[in-house]
Each structure stands twice: as structure tokens, then as C-alpha cells.
Amino acid sequence: MAVRLNENEDVVKTIKAGLERKGGYCPCRLEVKEEYKCICKEFRDQIADPDFEGYCHCMLYYKSKEK
């Protein structure tokens, strides 16, 4: 299992700017809740799932099954 940033530098730049504006909370969510603090609870749960492979909600991170 490996977690990496999105390969698209424009996506990474945009999401990181949004995270900075929102104090570390997912810029893709309307509500500011502790569970939306990056890395969000949803993606932490997906990381823990051995069968999950894909992007987090905002597409900043990607989890692959391969090392």
C-alpha cells in the first residue's frame, strides 16, 4: 500500500491553496468539521481498507494497493 499526491500539479496546487484558506480543512466540503481536517477521516478509513484503491474526496491523495 502506498499513498501519494495526485500526479496533476495543478490539482495539488489548487487543493493546497484551498486547505490553507480553510485552515487545513477540506476545501471541497461546505462544513468545517474535525472529520474534514486533512487527511480527512473518510480517506483515513479508505487507507485502512485493504481493498480500496483510489483518490481521496478532493483528489489530493491517491492510495494504491502496490508499494
Side-chain angles (χ1 to χ4, degrees), residues 5-29:
L5 286 175
N6 190 321
E7 294 170 342
N8 185 321
E9 292 177 15
D10 290 334
V11 169
V12 172
K13 182 179 175 182
T14 300
I15 298 301
K16 284 188 172 186
L19 285 166
E20 191 171 321
R21 275 194 315 276
K22 287 189 79 174
Y25 291 90
C26 182
C28 305
R29 309 274 189 170

Side-chain angles (χ1 to χ4, degrees), residues 1 3 5 11 13 15 19 23 26-27 30 34 37 42 47 49 55 57 60 62 66-67:
M1 187 274 306
V3 175
L5 286 175
V11 169
K13 182 179 175 182
I15 298 301
L19 285 166
C26 182
L30 295 176
E34 194 59 33
K37 187 91 169 186
E42 177 183 4
I47 290 170
D49 179 355
Y55 287 100
H57 177 82
L60 179 61
Y62 184 84
E66 301 176 10
K67 290 184 182 180

Side-chain angles (χ1 to χ4, degrees), residues 29-45:
R29 309 274 189 170
L30 295 176
E31 296 178 288
V32 175
K33 294 181 172 181
E34 194 59 33
E35 65 197 60
Y36 298 152
K37 187 91 169 186
C38 191
I39 292 178
C40 69
K41 181 181 179 331
E42 177 183 4
F43 194 56
R44 289 192 312 264
D45 291 344

